Amino acid sequence: MTDPTVDAPQEPEQKRSDSIQTAGSGTTLSLNTNSILLRAWSHMMESVRPSAFAEFELLILTFCTGIQDAISFPDYHCFASNQTGNTVFLMLAALLPHLNGEMFITANIGSALGFFLLGGWITGQIGHLVGPRLRIWLVGCNFIQSCLVFAAAAMQYIHGAGLKGTDAVVVVGLLAFASGSQVVQSRSLQMTEISTAMATAAWVDLLIDPGLFKLNNHPRTRRAMFLATLILGSLAGAGIYRSTGSWVAILVSAAGKMLVTGMYLFNSAEKPKTTTGQNAC
């Protein structure tokens, strides 16, 4: 009979070599992971620059605004995004309170205007502190806005679209807060022709533009695209409202806003400023 073969014990030098290789592999993996995290963090801390891609994102948000206002007025007799009418109605409510419930709902109007201003104030002031075009701020802020609109859609789905009451005030407040935040955030991209909400100034600026009929007039083109997109969004919202209900329209608006949240990850960044001559050090 032959003796069973027994593996020779590893030499101490071989064991040391194997342990060094294992440690080296772990160190390389850790360095690669840290490098990826650092690049991701650096990417999120970049400032997004105004571009054609950013214009497209603002037009998507404009489309979503049109959808929201197309359902907020028939459901709640107020506008979630455009505050000119709400301001006038609120003054009417102060002097002609007997019209409450017939022409407008005072609680809904107060909720819309108040939460719109609150959303704009919070977004603007925090933006001043962190940097209004910082990618992480744009992504995080737009994500919160989208979640608020999703919450409004969920409330309508669960409780229905009542004209009055706490549910109506909450839904209007959620939509208005998200809209106020959105309008302020859109201004940080330095494309004032695309406000994503207010149309009056855009109509006037478009009509009085001295280069209205010139071929190459980017501000004119931006205003025209903004107004056309707002109209299309309103038509889409009215169509969804008539066919499937307002909660579906709000859901579509929220999905559009969440799409833009993801798109902000791919915007080009501003190039770092370089100094030359005596200012260089």
Side-chain angles (χ1 to χ4, degrees):
M1 296 179 62
T2 59
D3 295 334
T5 59
V6 179
D7 294 336
Q10 289 183 328
E11 296 296 331
E13 292 79 2
Q14 184 177 356
K15 289 182 178 180
R16 258 196 317 271
S17 176
D18 292 344
S19 63
I20 291 172
Q21 289 179 359
T22 302
S25 300
T27 303
T28 302
L29 180 61
S30 176
L31 289 174
N32 289 337
T33 302
N34 289 337
S35 177
I36 293 172
L37 292 176
L38 285 174
R39 286 200 301 269
W41 178 251
S42 177
H43 179 70
M44 295 303 291
M45 296 304 291
E46 292 174 336
S47 289
V48 169
R49 71 177 183 88
S51 63
F53 191 63
E55 286 184 24
F56 181 57
E57 291 166 335
L58 292 182
L59 290 175
I60 294 176
L61 294 176
T62 299
F63 186 85
C64 296
T65 297
I67 293 176
Q68 288 180 195
D69 275 346
I71 66 93
S72 64
F73 191 79
D75 276 350
Y76 303 113
H77 291 190
C78 67
F79 295 103
S81 304
N82 294 285
Q83 300 303 319
T84 303
N86 290 340
T87 303
V88 173
F89 281 142
L90 195 61
M91 297 306 101
L92 288 175
L95 296 178
L96 303 172
H98 63 277
L99 295 178
N100 181 32
E102 298 178 8
M103 184 179 296
F104 48 78
I105 307 298
T106 304
N108 295 352
I109 293 171
S111 176
L113 182 58
F115 279 102
F116 182 92
L117 297 176
L118 181 63
W121 177 71
I122 291 175
T123 302
Q125 296 304 319
I126 296 178
H128 291 320
L129 296 175
V130 303
R133 293 204 305 277
L134 206 65
R135 191 186 309 276
I136 192 171
W137 168 243
L138 292 174
V139 171
C141 188
N142 211 72
F143 177 78
I144 293 173
Q145 295 168 23
S146 304
C147 290
L148 293 176
V149 181
F150 273 122
M155 284 199 65
Q156 269 215 359
Y157 176 74
I158 296 171
H159 302 289
L163 180 62
K164 301 178 182 180
T166 303
D167 291 339
V169 170
V170 171
V171 170
V172 169
L174 290 170
L175 295 177
F177 188 98
S179 296
S181 177
Q182 172 190 300
V183 171
V184 170
Q185 192 180 53
S186 68
R187 294 179 69 87
S188 69
L189 292 173
Q190 298 179 345
M191 297 180 215
T192 55
E193 299 89 356
I194 308 176
S195 69
T196 73
M198 287 73 71
T200 304
W203 280 116
V204 173
D205 291 339
L206 178 66
L207 295 175
I208 67 173
D209 192 333
L212 179 60
F213 299 106
K214 288 183 179 179
L215 183 62
N216 296 319
N217 185 345
H218 201 180
R220 180 275 323 274
T221 303
R222 279 179 177 172
R223 294 186 190 101
M225 292 176 64
F226 160 64
L227 292 168
T229 306
L230 186 64
I231 291 170
L232 289 175
S234 301
L235 290 173
I240 298 172
Y241 177 85
R242 183 177 62 180
S243 59
T244 58
S246 54
W247 76 269
V248 178
I250 299 175
L251 187 66
V252 171
S253 177
K257 290 176 69 65
M258 191 62 78
L259 172 65
V260 174
T261 300
M263 291 172 67
Y264 278 140
L265 296 173
F266 303 98
N267 285 68
S268 57
E270 287 184 336
K271 295 181 180 179
K273 295 181 179 179
T274 56
T275 54
T276 58
Q278 296 180 351
N279 293 328
C281 58

